[in-house]
Amino acid sequence: MADNIPGDLKYTREHEWARVQGTSVVVGVTQHAQESLGDVVYVELPKVGATVTEGKQFGVIESTKAVSELYSPLTGKVVKVNDGLSDNPSAVNTDPYGAGWIVEIEPSDPKQVDGLLDAAAYTALLQNS
Amino acid sequence: MARHTPLNEAHRKLGARMVDFAGWDMPVQYSSVIGEHEAVRTGVGLFDVSHMGEVEFTGPGALETVNALISNDLARIADGQAVYAGLLDERGTFVDDVVAYRFSPERILICVNSSNREKDFAWMKSHAQGVAPVDRSDDYAQLAVQGPKAAGLVQRLTKTDLSKLGTYRFTEGEVAGVKCLISRTGYTGEDGFELYSAAGDAVALWDALLTEGQQDGVKPCGLGARDSLRTEMKYALYGNDIDDQHTALEAGLGWIVKLDKAAFIGKEALVAQKAAGVKRKLVGFELTGSGIPRHGYAILKDGAPVGEVTSGTLGPTVKKAIGIGYVPTALSAEGSTFDVDIRGRAVPAVVVKTPFHKKP
């Protein structure tokens, strides 16, 4: 299956994506990640207002079979979480770049986003993995 | 290198995601665990379980030899019947859980878990008094056809009258022209069959079942659905819920332990444990808070660890976070409450009646 990697997003090596939206950044997991996870049945979200740190765990995503950690692509403050995932965690599978978004983070330093992978670099990462 | 069943290539052609399972390269899912799970609950699913092992005892005294090795009683069933049993050690804990098929008092076939094949065979070889076991694992392939539409599907491919084959009964016959041991058994909680064929016939049988099953909406199913299906039934999985640290009585499997039959390995320990009282029990529970219980999580009472989760998932049919685990007997009655330590959060849980899934 071809991996869907939108060109306007940034990516991490842990298969999360980041979309700049005004002063904050929306974060989710990639198409590749949701495929490897399988049916997502539970997402443990951080609290709004929580501080998250780049490369550190901020939540958990569970499929029928396995528990996987979510790592923050940025350091900053959580300004929104996708509460819709508690009733409909499968949105992560069906629409990973849309309804399946996970958190919105206000980065402590907006320039952090520039340090993430672009679509070409992420595509290369998948091809070499 | 991981071992392959005869169907390895067939799985890959179907686009299965393969994983290492106890040294075997096996399909965990083809499309989606939940979709495959639902196919078995409402239609029919096809599983490759050729990684399971088979050990045969043939000759005069076969029944008595096996009866001294397993906890259930082969003398109490007829030819053509099978029993679920514990292969126990002297402490009454599990070497493995097995299904023993009685062809006749002189021919018994034992199906063992893939993860325990070598260990079980060595155990049986060193403990068998009488007939010597023969490892037939590489000769057999095994397919499981499971679900309410399984009987209809298999019936269209065989002349054997399946309506005469009750649960835990088996017969030899042909399915799609392939010689099989047709066994009305399974690990899903649904009606269905386990078909043992020669390893070389497995691909033909698999293909025939998938083709003929199209009209039933048959789905190839992986180990993911196998695990969620059995968890909803509270069927034990060796290495998770039963092992060599917990006795058959603690595991709630007293019904497969026949303490009134002649000597078998583990009997004395279980007689003693029964007399002294079982101190911990394997229970099924539901979370009443949010999260999913998983193997290895601690069970807490008033903040202190008192037990351990052995299996858990979000049950695709029951649509609840369900778990299996060992707790002190005082906390084992239906309605008892405790907490599960989920990444540092104490999430409340309640003991419920099992199986979690009840047939409508």
Side-chain angles (χ1 to χ4, degrees):
Chain A
M1 205 178 298
D3 282 305
N4 173 9
I5 304 172
D8 58 334
L9 304 181
K10 295 286 197 170
Y11 299 89
T12 71
R13 293 176 180 279
E14 308 292 346
H15 308 285
E16 279 112 12
W17 57 260
R19 176 189 288 125
V20 178
Q21 201 165 286
T23 58
S24 59
V25 178
V26 183
V27 174
V29 301
T30 66
Q31 168 78 13
H32 174 83
Q34 72 79 13
E35 266 178 36
S36 355
L37 288 165
D39 301 314
V40 173
V41 291
Y42 184 75
V43 183
E44 192 170 278
L45 299 163
K47 291 199 166 61
V48 170
T51 304
V52 294
T53 308
E54 182 193 342
K56 292 283 195 304
Q57 190 187 338
F58 74 86
V60 157
I61 193 160
E62 301 196 31
S63 65
T64 30
K65 192 81 189 131
V67 180
S68 307
E69 296 173 337
L70 288 165
Y71 298 96
S72 181
L74 308 160
T75 298
K77 201 173 76 178
V78 175
V79 291
K80 264 189 209 168
V81 298
N82 186 355
D83 291 321
L85 295 179
S86 60
D87 288 333
N88 184 25
S90 63
V92 173
N93 295 118
T94 53
D95 192 8
Y97 300 112
W101 69 278
I102 293 170
V103 290
E104 197 173 317
I105 298 168
E106 197 169 78
S108 52
D109 174 5
K111 288 206 188 81
Q112 284 178 83
V113 179
D114 303 337
L116 299 176
L117 305 173
D118 62 16
Y122 182 63
T123 305
L125 177 86
L126 289 187
Q127 281 163 355
N128 295 327
S129 65
Chain B
M1 197 186 115
R3 290 199 260 184
H4 286 188
T5 76
L7 291 161
N8 193 272
E9 201 178 317
H11 300 319
R12 291 174 179 280
K13 266 194 243 163
L14 287 164
R17 181 176 314 145
M18 308 298 285
V19 294
D20 180 87
F21 178 80
W24 290 80
D25 187 47
M26 295 299 288
V28 66
Q29 68 172 61
Y30 298 82
S31 45
S32 120
V33 172
I34 293 175
E36 292 162 26
H37 179 111
E38 284 305 316
V40 172
R41 286 274 181 259
T42 61
V44 55
L46 180 61
F47 300 81
D48 174 20
V49 286
S50 302
H51 56 318
M52 306 286 280
E54 292 84 12
V55 179
E56 198 167 78
F57 291 77
T58 309
L63 186 149
E64 291 73 17
T65 303
V66 177
N67 240 6
L69 293 172
I70 66 172
S71 64
N72 213 327
D73 190 359
L74 287 167
R76 236 177 258 205
I77 61 169
D79 293 349
Q81 255 185 295
V83 287
Y84 179 54
L87 181 68
L88 306 177
D89 59 23
E90 292 82 356
R91 298 175 302 161
T93 66
F94 287 87
V95 177
D96 202 359
D97 61 333
V98 303
V99 174
Y101 293 87
R102 174 174 157 168
F103 288 78
S104 76
E106 300 195 355
R107 187 181 171 207
I108 309 291
L109 184 74
I110 301 185
C111 178
V112 305
N113 277 301
S114 59
S115 51
N116 293 332
R117 266 165 72 155
E118 283 73 21
K119 179 187 76 173
D120 288 0
F121 185 67
W123 174 269
M124 290 189 233
K125 210 168 147 183
S126 62
H127 290 82
Q129 312 245 343
V131 175
V134 177
D135 188 354
R136 298 287 311 277
S137 301
D138 292 334
D139 303 335
Y140 282 107
Q142 191 189 149
L143 306 187
V145 193
Q146 300 280 302
K149 293 182 177 172
L153 165 57
V154 178
Q155 188 64 78
R156 294 198 302 276
L157 292 169
T158 184
K159 288 186 183 124
T160 301
D161 183 356
L162 299 178
S163 68
K164 296 208 168 81
L165 196 67
T167 304
Y168 267 78
R169 307 266 169 169
F170 67 97
T171 184
E172 287 169 287
E174 278 190 10
V175 178
V178 170
K179 255 186 80 177
C180 289
L181 188 167
I182 306 170
S183 170
R184 198 152 204 159
T185 47
Y187 193 47
T188 63
E190 299 301 326
D191 184 25
F193 303 88
E194 290 172 313
L195 305 174
Y196 296 73
S197 74
D201 291 336
V203 172
L205 185 59
W206 173 268
D207 287 344
L209 286 161
L210 281 185
T211 304
E212 179 61 33
Q214 273 175 11
Q215 57 178 285
D216 308 297
V218 67
K219 277 195 185 175
C221 299
L223 296 179
R226 187 168 162 81
D227 192 52
S228 57
L229 287 158
R230 71 92 194 165
T231 302
E232 284 188 337
M233 295 307 293
K234 194 177 171 256
Y235 291 160
L237 172 65
Y238 192 90
N240 275 39
D241 316 292
I242 54 175
D243 53 26
D244 58 7
Q245 301 300 315
H246 297 88
T247 72
L249 299 181
E250 290 169 340
L253 292 171
W255 64 277
I256 63 166
V257 177
K258 306 298 184 207
L259 292 177
D260 54 348
K261 74 165 185 173
F264 63 92
I265 301 171
K267 180 179 174 180
E268 284 171 32
L270 295 177
V271 167
Q273 188 178 45
K274 196 173 181 187
V278 178
K279 295 200 169 47
R280 56 184 177 180
K281 284 186 179 165
L282 191 67
V283 296
F285 61 87
E286 283 174 18
L287 289 192
T288 47
S290 80
I292 300 176
R294 300 286 184 180
H295 177 75
Y297 288 3
I299 290 174
L300 314 171
K301 187 67 183 176
D302 304 323
V306 294
E308 197 174 71
V309 177
T310 56
S311 291
T313 192
L314 196 288
T317 305
V318 301
K319 298 195 167 41
K320 284 176 183 162
I322 54 173
I324 304 170
Y326 285 99
V327 296
T329 301
L331 290 176
S332 65
E334 205 184 318
S336 303
T337 57
F338 46 74
D339 297 319
V340 176
D341 182 348
I342 301 185
R343 295 177 290 275
R345 264 189 321 129
V347 180
V350 59
V351 175
V352 296
K353 195 177 273 183
T354 52
F356 300 101
H357 170 65
K358 282 116 194 152
K359 280 191 200 176

